[in-house]
Amino acid sequence: DTAVSQTPKYLVTQMGNDKSIKCEQNLGHDTMYWYKQDSKKFLKIMFSYNNKELIINETVPNRFSPKSPDKAHLNLHINSLELGDSAVYFCASSQVARGHEQYFGPGTRLTVT
Amino acid sequence: AQRVTQPEKLLSVFKGAPVELKCNYSYSGSPELFWYVQYSRQRLQLLLRHISRESIKGFTADLNKGETSFHLKKPFAQEEDSAMYYCALVGAGNMLTFGGGTRLMVKP
């Protein structure tokens, strides 16, 4: 039983394209997140979202947008892809009332050519 | 603004040697800190959190508010401890601010 899953695992695309990464959690958590891990392994929060509030890291370009069709899903849409968007993107979830432990997905490696 | 600093990008030790991975933070409120670990080809997972004051896989970490540190320690390193370790601080929106990570290599 996979707790947090992401698709696709690998994504190779060209500059200028629009792409989406899907994330699903089956833990019944109320909050989901997207993180970006660059080539130097730096991990940075992009978004935090529950059904009431979206919090955006101010450094994230507005080409990136999270979309949540329901509590179990938080998809990441990226418009007009740039070379610098190449990274590994991690989805995570948590149940805030039970403390701050976050459960991470396996990551999606995005390569922009 | 909150910040987490891990001064060592790479730490290489021999099996059986003590290990200390350093973490310093800056935060205006009362901090809640974590250590996450990423083994090769695996997802990021929680190792321990300061409020639990527990020992996981032989690792411990003590919050030192005076020195604003949360160093991770293990008295005897094992080869299976080789991984990427991230110190993290939770802030607004339950978002984690991560340090830059330290790669621990335990040599046989």
Side-chain angles (χ1 to χ4, degrees):
Chain A
D1 288 344
T2 303
V4 183
S5 60
Q6 294 178 229
T7 54
K9 195 171 182 180
Y10 300 96
L11 181 57
V12 181
T13 188
Q14 291 184 326
M15 284 174 57
N17 285 349
D18 302 336
K19 290 292 178 186
S20 296
I21 305 172
K22 294 185 178 180
C23 176
E24 177 181 2
Q25 54 95 3
N26 62 6
L27 297 165
H29 287 168
D30 59 10
T31 307
M32 297 182 72
Y33 315 83
W34 278 103
Y35 291 87
K36 178 181 179 181
Q37 185 180 46
D38 64 21
S39 59
K40 295 182 180 177
K41 301 291 188 182
F42 285 112
L43 262 170
K44 192 165 75 172
I45 180 71
M46 300 177 73
F47 305 101
S48 164
Y49 181 80
N50 64 25
N51 57 4
K52 298 175 185 174
E53 188 180 18
L54 169 66
I55 300 179
I56 304 170
N57 185 325
E58 60 191 12
T59 65
V60 175
N62 57 15
R63 298 182 294 104
F64 290 79
S65 58
K67 299 270 193 310
S68 180
D70 55 58
K71 279 181 65 172
H73 297 82
L74 185 67
N75 303 325
L76 182 65
H77 295 272
I78 316 171
N79 294 326
S80 303
L81 277 156
E82 300 177 358
L83 291 176
D85 298 333
S86 295
V88 180
Y89 292 84
F90 288 97
C91 177
S93 73
S94 71
Q95 182 67 21
V96 175
R98 289 194 220 131
H100 297 294
E101 178 176 0
Q102 295 187 15
Y103 292 78
F104 283 78
T108 295
R109 183 175 293 279
L110 171 66
T111 303
V112 182
T113 61
Chain B
Q2 59 199 58
R3 189 182 183 97
V4 179
T5 304
Q6 293 177 247
E8 302 139 329
K9 283 190 179 298
L10 173 65
L11 184 62
S12 184
V13 301
F14 285 102
K15 177 182 171 182
V19 169
E20 183 178 47
L21 289 84
K22 291 185 167 52
C23 172
N24 288 91
Y25 67 90
S26 64
Y27 186 59
S28 55
S30 183
E32 188 167 350
L33 287 147
F34 304 81
W35 277 98
Y36 278 80
V37 60
Q38 188 176 28
Y39 299 103
S40 178
R41 304 185 198 286
Q42 293 188 28
R43 66 187 68 198
L44 204 64
Q45 56 188 287
L46 179 68
L47 180 62
L48 53 79
R49 68 184 87 185
H50 90 268
I51 58 173
S52 300
R53 302 185 66 82
E54 58 200 344
S55 174
I56 303 292
K57 299 185 180 183
F59 284 97
T60 58
D62 291 318
L63 178 63
N64 185 324
K65 291 187 178 180
E67 295 182 358
T68 60
S69 68
F70 188 56
H71 303 327
L72 183 68
K73 299 177 185 178
K74 184 169 183 176
F76 309 104
Q78 303 298 315
E79 288 182 69
E80 55 265 30
D81 296 329
S82 295
M84 196 76 184
Y85 290 81
Y86 291 94
C87 184
L89 174 69
V90 70
N94 202 39
M95 297 194 291
L96 290 171
T97 297
F98 285 94
T102 299
R103 181 171 296 283
L104 174 64
M105 290 179 58
V106 182
K107 296 177 286 190

